[in-house]
Amino acid sequence: MARKEDNRSSRGANRRPGGEIDRYNYVDRDIYSNSDRDVYSSAGSARKSSPKRRPPKKKKGKKVGAIVLAVVLLLCAGIYVYASSLLSQINRDNTDANSYVQQPSDAPQWDVLSDKQVTNILLIGTDRVQDGIQRSDTMMLVSIDNKNKKVKLTSFLRDLYVEIPTIGKNKLNASYSNGGAALTMQTIENNFRINIDKFVSIDVDSFAEIIDKMGGIEVNISQAEADEMNRVMDAQMSAGTNHMRGTLALYYSRIRRIDSDFGRTGRQRQVISCMVDKLKSKNPIELSSLLHDYMGYVTTNLSDGEMLSLAASAMGIMSYPMETLHMPETGMYEDKRVSGIGDVLNPDLEANSKALREFIYGTDAQQ
């Protein structure tokens, strides 16, 4: 009874004069009393005696995170092993092109033009070794312009009459047989004043095998080209789009008799474009298989890191529109016969250099 009175007196202490409860200061202490807690405790003792405890959610989250991390690490390890396997198949040639520093006497005395957002890679198609000599059949500069999202192909005709370091004046394709890719890159750089320090080379017969592994390509040809293919290769082609296996595509890219080396290099650029179109239709698994088959045919001075970077951005690069050019440009050379060398294309180096720099970099600035 004493405690009840105490409680009442406690509640009364929170009443305002006149008996009105002060709701801002009123607290019913009964709900916090030990006796009341004992009543609730005894009433629910059966329920609370052995409560079920759930495992903390954080531990479950940690387990899931650990599993995800393990899967990611395994995938990364698998990709690394696969990439290492691919890169190990590539043939390497790291000959220093800077050893060929002799400057052509008739080339523009401008600084070599370069841009960090433009990657120039010289694609060299070579003949099989004969009598200890290997010659370049195709020299095509692939310029990846990440600034303007374009790929630009420039064919350098093999009969270009230029000054080759350590050799003297000769046809451009003589640079490869005398000094390989390094001398070829430096010869083009010296004469046309554009930066080239990366190359990929492949012999043209292997090129046909690559096209076969792709399942062939679709090529749009003229009637004259179809007639030549039918005559020499016993093909059954007509003007328009034709499916070509490797040997047919290779012969098509080397046709010269019906027109000139200008037409021939144009066909080479078309074959490259058709190959890119075919690659676009492949799914990642098929692309991976093709890469595995291709690598053994390739010789390059690209580092592993550069190769992996190009591979990672390949899908984006293949979506870039493609533009083409040939060197020398029409009207910027003269036909000439040189004793001991034969028929050559004698270029106006200043005019051609300006045109090439404008095509690749968007400027002909004479630095």
Side-chain angles (χ1 to χ4, degrees):
M1 290 298 293
R3 190 171 60 173
K4 288 184 180 178
E5 289 175 359
D6 289 344
N7 287 340
R8 281 197 301 271
S9 61
S10 174
R11 286 195 297 269
N14 291 301
R15 291 180 181 273
R16 293 179 180 175
E20 183 182 351
I21 295 174
D22 185 351
R23 298 185 184 279
Y24 294 97
N25 296 307
Y26 173 74
V27 178
D28 189 343
R29 300 293 178 186
D30 284 349
I31 64 173
Y32 297 110
S33 66
N34 289 333
S35 61
D36 289 339
R37 190 182 301 124
D38 293 340
V39 171
Y40 295 138
S41 196
S42 60
S45 60
R47 185 178 69 252
K48 297 182 179 179
S49 59
S50 56
K52 294 182 179 179
R53 300 183 64 185
R54 296 180 180 178
K57 291 185 178 180
K58 289 185 178 179
K59 289 185 179 179
K60 184 177 181 181
K62 287 180 180 179
K63 288 182 180 179
V64 172
I67 292 171
V68 171
L69 179 60
V71 171
V72 170
L73 289 175
L74 284 172
L75 285 173
C76 290
I79 292 171
Y80 175 78
V81 170
Y82 180 69
S84 298
S85 173
L86 286 179
L87 294 171
S88 67
Q89 298 180 52
I90 298 174
N91 303 300
R92 302 290 182 174
D93 180 355
N94 293 309
T95 304
D96 186 7
N98 293 322
S99 59
Y100 303 109
V101 295
Q102 296 88 342
Q103 296 299 306
S105 57
D106 55 351
Q109 299 302 303
W110 307 329
D111 289 343
V112 171
L113 195 57
S114 64
D115 187 324
K116 291 182 178 179
Q117 291 186 281
V118 177
T119 302
N120 287 330
I121 303 172
L122 187 63
L123 177 62
I124 304 173
T126 63
D127 292 324
R128 289 276 166 91
V129 177
Q130 295 180 357
D131 302 324
I133 299 175
Q134 190 173 38
R135 296 175 175 82
S136 58
D137 180 75
T138 302
M139 290 160 285
M140 186 183 301
L141 187 64
V142 180
S143 302
I144 304 169
D145 182 354
N146 290 306
K147 179 168 56 179
N148 298 300
K149 310 297 183 187
K150 294 180 179 179
V151 172
K152 301 169 184 179
L153 303 181
T154 306
S155 295
F156 291 88
L157 275 68
R158 58 187 182 179
D159 289 342
L160 270 167
Y161 191 51
V162 293
E163 191 169 330
I164 303 173
T166 72
I167 303 300
K169 296 272 284 191
N170 208 320
K171 292 183 178 182
L172 178 59
N173 69 339
S175 59
Y176 191 86
S177 57
N178 283 277
L183 183 54
T184 304
M185 287 189 293
Q186 197 63 44
T187 298
I188 295 174
E189 182 174 298
N190 286 357
N191 283 275
F192 294 93
R193 317 309 294 160
I194 56 169
N195 177 256
I196 308 174
D197 53 18
K198 300 298 177 182
F199 81 94
V200 173
S201 71
I202 184 169
D203 75 73
V204 291
D205 291 318
S206 298
F207 195 73
E209 295 176 37
I210 290 173
I211 292 175
D212 282 336
K213 290 180 183 295
M214 297 175 68
I217 56 177
E218 311 303 315
V219 187
N220 194 313
I221 66 176
S222 68
Q223 187 60 57
E225 291 168 339
D227 291 342
E228 177 68 6
M229 297 281 288
N230 295 339
R231 182 183 69 83
V232 176
M233 300 298 291
D234 194 25
Q236 297 180 347
M237 297 191 174
S238 57
T241 301
N242 293 261
H243 179 81
M244 294 187 188
R245 63 180 185 274
T247 52
L248 291 176
L250 177 59
Y251 182 76
Y252 171 78
S253 68
R254 304 183 79 171
I255 293 174
R256 188 175 183 178
R257 193 184 69 85
I258 63 174
D259 39 39
S260 66
D261 209 27
F262 288 94
R264 175 178 169 275
T265 57
R267 284 183 279 274
Q268 291 171 352
R269 294 191 298 274
Q270 185 176 4
V271 166
I272 294 295
S273 179
C274 292
M275 290 178 69
V276 171
D277 288 340
K278 189 61 176 281
L279 288 174
K280 289 178 183 178
S281 69
K282 301 292 183 182
N283 62 46
I285 295 177
E286 291 172 325
L287 283 173
S288 176
S289 176
L290 286 170
L291 277 176
H292 189 274
D293 291 336
Y294 287 173
M295 291 299 101
Y297 297 122
V298 171
T299 299
T300 185
N301 65 345
L302 286 162
S303 68
D304 287 354
E306 289 167 332
M307 292 287 287
L308 290 173
S309 178
L310 285 170
S313 54
M315 296 305 294
I317 292 171
M318 285 194 295
S319 69
Y320 291 176
M322 194 173 291
E323 299 178 356
T324 64
L325 184 73
H326 54 71
M327 286 281 109
E329 273 273 65
T330 303
M332 297 183 184
Y333 70 95
E334 63 175 349
D335 292 308
K336 187 175 181 179
R337 180 176 288 272
V338 178
S339 177
I341 295 177
D343 293 332
V344 300
L345 304 172
N346 191 35
D348 179 335
L349 281 177
E350 183 170 316
N352 280 284
S353 295
K354 284 183 178 181
L356 182 59
R357 287 151 69 102
E358 177 68 35
F359 176 66
I360 294 175
Y361 299 110
T363 178
D364 63 353
Q366 301 169 23
Q367 300 179 9

